[in-house]
Amino acid sequence: MSGKGQTTLPGASCPLPLSDYPEITLAHGAGGALTEQLFQNLILPELSNTLLDERHDGAVFPANARELAFTTDSYVIQPLEFPGGDIGHLAVCGTINDLAMCGARARHLSLSLIIEEGLPTETLWRIIRSVGQTCRAANVAVVTGDTKVVERGKGDGLFITMTGVGEIIAQQPIRPTRIQPNDVILVSGDIGRHGIAVLSAREGIAFETPVRSDCAPLHDIVHALIAADLDIHCMRDLTRGGLATALIELCQTSGLGMMINEAAVPVSDAVSGAADLFGLDPLYIANEGRFCIVLPKENVAKALDVLRSFNIASESGQIGTVLEGPGPLTMETALGSSRQLDLLTGEQLPRIC
Amino acid sequence: MSGKGQTTLPGASCPLPLSDYPEITLAHGAGGALTEQLFQNLILPELSNTLLDERHDGAVFPANARELAFTTDSYVIQPLEFPGGDIGHLAVCGTINDLAMCGARARHLSLSLIIEEGLPTETLWRIIRSVGQTCRAANVAVVTGDTKVVERGKGDGLFITMTGVGEIIAQQPIRPTRIQPNDVILVSGDIGRHGIAVLSAREGIAFETPVRSDCAPLHDIVHALIAADLDIHCMRDLTRGGLATALIELCQTSGLGMMINEAAVPVSDAVSGAADLFGLDPLYIANEGRFCIVLPKENVAKALDVLRSFNIASESGQIGTVLEGPGPLTMETALGSSRQLDLLTGEQLPRIC
């Protein structure tokens, strides 16, 4: 399984006695001696910090900011490990990014595990290590958590729910209701990598040019945008439902239509080809390290300078504008016609986050 | 199914067109039009508030306190509805109570749903209503959330993960490391009701005296204890693993032994009889509305006065003391002998929270 190399350090070995417990059992979730062993030997060494070590019913910390942001997501992705990441890395990045989209810097995370009986202990260990590594790299900490185990056939390996609290660092609110007519819409890079990477791993399809997930934390790039004193009206990460769904939701909550230009939306050849093969539209495919920014025209050049100074946003660009009144999301196609984009009614790509 | 009467208002009917979607489908979790319909029609009407209505990636709110408490739990209970509650009521109470145990008043909650394809839409609706009712009664709000749907056979009806942020209202820290030798241990009522109620519902056993879960929010009672200016050293709710597990954990984190008196621990005849039948020890059975308090001897009388002024704590009493040095949890039995209590190694009662 790919993704393993990323999360296992050379020479490190799983700290639970694997000969005794090669798989997670129901007793690991019963709150008794095995729950304690799992926490002490497998979780705490990877995630330890003064708040988590306290082992209280909750973590207590100073507020440190006038305003806080608070977000939660459950991760049910299959497979648990995929090219470019795993469910643990995804959970931390997803939480950091949701907070960043509110103009907040993530500080405290909670981690709740729902494990299916029979999950290989070593898989769980790799994923917890990945959570720890991603946290350390982004200077955030898991300060409280929970572990439940459900019977074989009542779960699917591992579900993670992560919640984050962040400190608002933006001077102005960053939210859908601040979107204005004639604002410009930027996207931070090429779209569709995450969904295609997960789907190809799930289906066991190897493309000539392998597609890796774009999964990445966006805190540094958002911090730089805010520090550049740009009047950002709204940001949104392009996760489940992709770019199109994110913009349609912003049309609905802002009460303003939007127009995007198909030719301006970056899509790699590899993603484009794979999407064709799977019968998917890249506009609706999930990303986990891409976001859009809505801001006044005067700020565009400076924003693109900041974005392009980061490797993961080197392909960022202007893709559209906000219209004068209420309306749908419309796309000017490469052929010059225009087409309305709507929320999809079916399940395009289940279990990609 | 019991619990239904509690969560369905007379005359109210499920707002999703049941003839179209009597069951939750994968598309309800795909982030498209059906996810939107589920949120707008079934979730938002029950949980609406200004922050949730904003529909941003996260909720943004003022800190309002110097210190915050933060807690999370996943709820995987089966059955979803049981005598005295349901998974939604349980999630809100559990979160409020974990925050209360830290000396905090719950303010903002997040709600993340992992639904198994095929869950009856009406069941989901009843549970969301129950979340809303419990929140309103306790003056807390669900301000952000997530919904995922997994394929039939990859989940078990519904898992809920709830996270809470609360404002610390206690003047002194309330935590395990503040426990002192010779402190007194109080319990807020009779133990074991929740586990027995869930197990009897699951096994379809009707006892002569039906046992209802003790599931209840403890914010008012904890607020009253704090307002009475008691020097509370630690509190712990007696959830998974019951009274014995909670106290053993406190022995470990405080580094001090404890002695409890079996005869002083309140257990109802109905719970005692059912526990015998199931081969369970009430000391290890989960509760969802009971807690223990560790505080100096001088504060005991006043604390019991406050506790007993609440119906749900009318049977509260002193059950033991903290010893002078490190040690295990020991129980003086009704026969006068003493017995060490250890963490259980097996799965006593799976899926009770």
Side-chain angles (χ1 to χ4, degrees):
Chain A
M1 175 80 63
S2 54
K4 181 171 174 175
Q6 184 189 38
T7 53
T8 306
L9 290 184
S13 68
C14 181
L16 269 196
L18 277 178
S19 52
D20 292 352
Y21 296 104
E23 295 183 346
I24 300 298
T25 66
L26 282 178
H28 284 108
L34 288 186
T35 303
E36 177 67 16
Q37 188 191 84
L38 184 71
F39 182 76
Q40 286 291 347
N41 296 348
L42 192 141
I43 295 177
L44 202 55
E46 306 300 334
L47 305 181
S48 174
N49 59 74
T50 48
L51 289 171
L52 189 62
D53 299 355
E54 179 102 5
R55 311 217 39 202
H56 200 2
D57 274 340
V60 176
F61 48 79
N64 268 348
R66 275 179 318 165
E67 278 196 312
L68 302 169
F70 181 44
T71 188
T72 197
D73 268 308
S74 286
Y75 297 87
V76 299
I77 193 167
Q78 274 295 339
L80 297 176
E81 298 168 298
F82 52 84
D86 58 71
I87 189 172
H89 180 63
L90 175 66
V92 180
C93 291
T95 308
I96 288 173
N97 295 351
D98 277 345
L99 292 172
M101 296 303 111
C102 303
R105 184 174 268 279
R107 286 296 303 270
H108 299 102
L109 307 181
S110 70
L111 171 69
S112 202
L113 308 172
I114 299 176
I115 305 171
E116 183 192 11
E117 177 189 17
L119 178 72
T121 306
E122 199 155 1
T123 302
L124 179 63
W125 178 62
R126 281 200 306 275
I127 288 165
I128 297 294
R129 282 180 82 84
S130 177
V131 168
Q133 286 162 17
T134 312
C135 281
R136 285 187 292 277
N139 197 24
V140 296
V142 171
V143 296
T144 193
D146 186 35
T147 303
K148 294 290 185 336
V149 181
V150 296
E151 303 90 336
R152 221 177 278 268
K154 301 294 185 185
D156 197 12
L158 176 65
F159 301 141
I160 289 181
T161 303
M162 188 162 270
T163 308
V165 173
E167 298 159 5
I168 295 288
I169 54 170
Q171 294 299 314
Q172 296 283 332
I174 294 176
R175 59 181 184 220
T177 45
R178 283 198 65 225
I179 296 174
Q180 297 296 319
N182 303 314
D183 275 355
V184 171
I185 305 161
L186 309 180
V187 72
S188 71
D190 68 317
I191 61 170
R193 289 184 182 272
H194 176 72
I196 294 296
V198 173
L199 197 55
S200 55
R202 193 189 300 163
E203 305 294 332
I205 297 173
F207 292 108
E208 210 169 310
T209 314
V211 176
R212 286 174 65 83
S213 169
D214 55 278
C215 185
L218 297 169
H219 59 292
D220 281 337
I221 195 165
V222 167
H223 190 250
L225 286 165
I226 290 171
D229 213 24
L230 299 163
D231 185 23
I232 300 165
H233 289 166
C234 191
M235 296 187 284
R236 182 62 56 101
D237 52 348
L238 312 178
T239 54
R240 182 172 54 171
L243 174 66
T245 303
L247 293 181
I248 293 165
E249 286 176 4
L250 293 184
C251 286
Q252 290 171 347
T253 36
S254 69
L256 295 168
M258 293 181 180
M259 167 73 83
I260 60 172
N261 178 351
E262 185 173 24
V265 176
V267 184
S268 73
D269 290 344
V271 165
S272 180
D276 274 351
L277 187 78
F278 288 126
L280 298 170
D281 183 342
L283 289 168
Y284 289 89
I285 297 178
N287 313 269
E288 290 292 344
R290 298 287 184 255
F291 67 115
C292 66
I293 305 166
V294 185
L295 79 184
K297 201 183 224 170
E298 308 82 72
N299 283 177
V300 169
K302 196 170 173 189
L304 287 174
D305 280 350
V306 173
L307 285 166
R308 290 173 183 160
S309 71
F310 288 84
N311 273 338
I312 57 168
S314 58
E315 290 190 57
S316 56
Q318 174 173 342
I319 58 165
T321 51
V322 179
L323 302 180
E324 299 260 346
L329 174 65
T330 311
M331 183 171 74
E332 194 174 14
T333 69
L335 301 171
S337 63
S338 76
R339 168 185 151 211
Q340 180 176 323
L341 299 175
D342 295 309
L343 290 180
L344 295 184
T345 47
E347 82 255 23
Q348 204 201 17
L349 261 184
R351 312 285 300 274
I352 38 68
C353 61
Chain B
M1 177 79 67
S2 55
K4 182 169 173 175
Q6 183 190 39
T7 54
T8 306
L9 291 183
S13 67
C14 180
L16 270 195
L18 276 180
S19 51
D20 291 353
Y21 296 104
E23 295 183 348
I24 300 298
T25 66
L26 282 177
H28 283 109
L34 288 186
T35 303
E36 177 67 17
Q37 188 191 85
L38 184 70
F39 182 77
Q40 286 291 349
N41 296 349
L42 191 141
I43 295 177
L44 202 55
E46 305 301 334
L47 304 182
S48 173
N49 59 74
T50 48
L51 289 172
L52 189 64
D53 300 354
E54 178 101 7
R55 308 213 46 199
H56 200 3
D57 274 339
V60 176
F61 48 78
N64 268 349
R66 274 178 319 163
E67 278 195 311
L68 302 170
F70 181 44
T71 189
T72 196
D73 269 308
S74 286
Y75 297 87
V76 299
I77 192 167
Q78 272 295 340
L80 298 176
E81 298 168 299
F82 51 84
D86 58 71
I87 189 172
H89 180 62
L90 175 66
V92 180
C93 292
T95 308
I96 288 173
N97 295 352
D98 276 346
L99 292 172
M101 296 302 111
C102 303
R105 183 173 269 280
R107 287 296 300 271
H108 299 102
L109 307 181
S110 69
L111 172 68
S112 201
L113 308 172
I114 299 176
I115 305 171
E116 183 191 11
E117 176 188 19
L119 178 73
T121 306
E122 198 155 3
T123 302
L124 179 62
W125 177 62
R126 281 200 307 275
I127 289 165
I128 297 295
R129 282 181 83 84
S130 177
V131 168
Q133 286 163 17
T134 313
C135 281
R136 284 187 292 278
N139 196 25
V140 295
V142 171
V143 296
T144 193
D146 186 35
T147 302
K148 294 290 184 338
V149 181
V150 297
E151 303 90 334
R152 222 177 278 267
K154 301 293 184 183
D156 197 13
L158 176 65
F159 302 140
I160 290 181
T161 303
M162 186 162 271
T163 308
V165 173
E167 298 159 4
I168 295 288
I169 54 170
Q171 294 299 313
Q172 295 284 331
I174 294 175
R175 58 183 185 219
T177 45
R178 283 198 66 224
I179 297 173
Q180 297 295 317
N182 303 313
D183 276 355
V184 170
I185 304 161
L186 310 180
V187 71
S188 71
D190 67 317
I191 61 169
R193 289 184 182 274
H194 177 71
I196 294 296
V198 173
L199 197 56
S200 55
R202 193 189 298 163
E203 305 294 331
I205 297 173
F207 293 108
E208 210 168 309
T209 314
V211 177
R212 286 174 67 83
S213 169
D214 55 277
C215 186
L218 298 169
H219 59 291
D220 280 338
I221 195 165
V222 167
H223 190 251
L225 286 167
I226 290 171
D229 212 23
L230 300 163
D231 185 23
I232 300 165
H233 289 167
C234 190
M235 295 186 285
R236 183 60 58 101
D237 52 349
L238 312 178
T239 54
R240 182 172 55 169
L243 174 65
T245 303
L247 294 181
I248 293 164
E249 286 175 4
L250 293 183
C251 286
Q252 290 170 348
T253 36
S254 69
L256 295 168
M258 293 180 179
M259 167 72 84
I260 60 171
N261 179 352
E262 184 173 25
V265 176
V267 184
S268 73
D269 289 344
V271 165
S272 180
D276 274 352
L277 188 79
F278 289 126
L280 299 170
D281 181 344
L283 289 169
Y284 289 89
I285 298 178
N287 312 269
E288 291 292 344
R290 298 286 185 256
F291 67 116
C292 66
I293 305 167
V294 185
L295 80 182
K297 202 183 222 169
E298 308 82 72
N299 283 176
V300 169
K302 195 170 175 188
L304 287 175
D305 279 351
V306 173
L307 285 165
R308 289 173 184 161
S309 71
F310 288 83
N311 273 337
I312 56 168
S314 58
E315 289 190 58
S316 56
Q318 174 174 342
I319 59 164
T321 52
V322 179
L323 302 180
E324 297 261 345
L329 174 64
T330 311
M331 183 170 73
E332 193 174 15
T333 70
L335 302 171
S337 63
S338 78
R339 167 185 151 209
Q340 181 177 323
L341 299 174
D342 294 309
L343 291 178
L344 295 184
T345 47
E347 81 256 21
Q348 204 202 18
L349 260 184
R351 312 284 301 273
I352 39 67
C353 62

